[in-house]
Amino acid sequence: MSWRIANECAERRFGSAACKQIIMFLADKASDDGSGIWCSKGTIQRHTELSESAVKCTIIDFLREGILIETGRRQCKNGYTIIYRIVLERVAAFESTAEPDIETGVTVNPVQPEPGTGFTVDPKPS
């Protein structure tokens, strides 16, 4: 598991909740360089609770967009599982989810320099 990859993916917009959920699952399986992801689409489906077609289509889209690349195959009980790598440069190009730095526009200093010099409220309205 790579916190680095997971954090990088968590801070980017992927276009849909399903895409975000799948990339976060894959990031959880990745090494620090994004490689070594070898979980089947069925495993992704079971853990994300998304449909089989949503998982397959999203993986195909990620491959087409260059977010994922296939790096090999690993033998398993049903034949083989494809090994993926998340391409960090592609992920970094996505829009950030961080809030923009916005000036609040506050111009009044709320801290009073000396006691009793600030505004007072008249307890009895006129």
Side-chain angles (χ1 to χ4, degrees), residues 93-115:
F94 280 79
E95 180 183 352
S96 174
T97 59
E99 296 206 18
D101 293 332
I102 299 175
E103 294 293 325
T104 62
V106 175
T107 58
V108 177
N109 184 357
V111 178
Q112 302 302 318
E114 296 179 26

Side-chain angles (χ1 to χ4, degrees), residues 9-35:
C9 291
E11 294 174 355
R12 302 292 171 198
R13 294 188 187 280
F14 286 87
S16 73
C19 290
K20 184 69 162 239
Q21 194 169 356
I22 291 169
I23 198 70
M24 291 304 298
F25 181 82
L26 294 172
D28 185 55
K29 305 300 181 200
S31 299
D32 282 341
D33 64 352
S35 68

Side-chain angles (χ1 to χ4, degrees), residues 53-79:
S53 63
V55 171
K56 286 181 180 180
C57 288
T58 300
I59 296 292
I60 290 168
D61 289 344
F62 284 169
L63 289 166
R64 189 176 326 122
E65 295 171 15
I67 298 166
L68 284 180
I69 59 171
E70 294 182 8
T71 60
R73 295 180 178 192
R74 181 181 174 115
Q75 292 294 338
C76 67
K77 65 181 178 180
N78 296 324

Side-chain angles (χ1 to χ4, degrees), residues 35-63:
S35 68
I37 304 166
W38 54 274
C39 51
S40 69
K41 291 172 190 73
T43 299
I44 297 168
Q45 178 191 0
R46 281 191 306 280
H47 286 271
T48 61
E49 298 182 31
L50 295 167
S51 70
E52 181 179 348
S53 63
V55 171
K56 286 181 180 180
C57 288
T58 300
I59 296 292
I60 290 168
D61 289 344
F62 284 169
L63 289 166

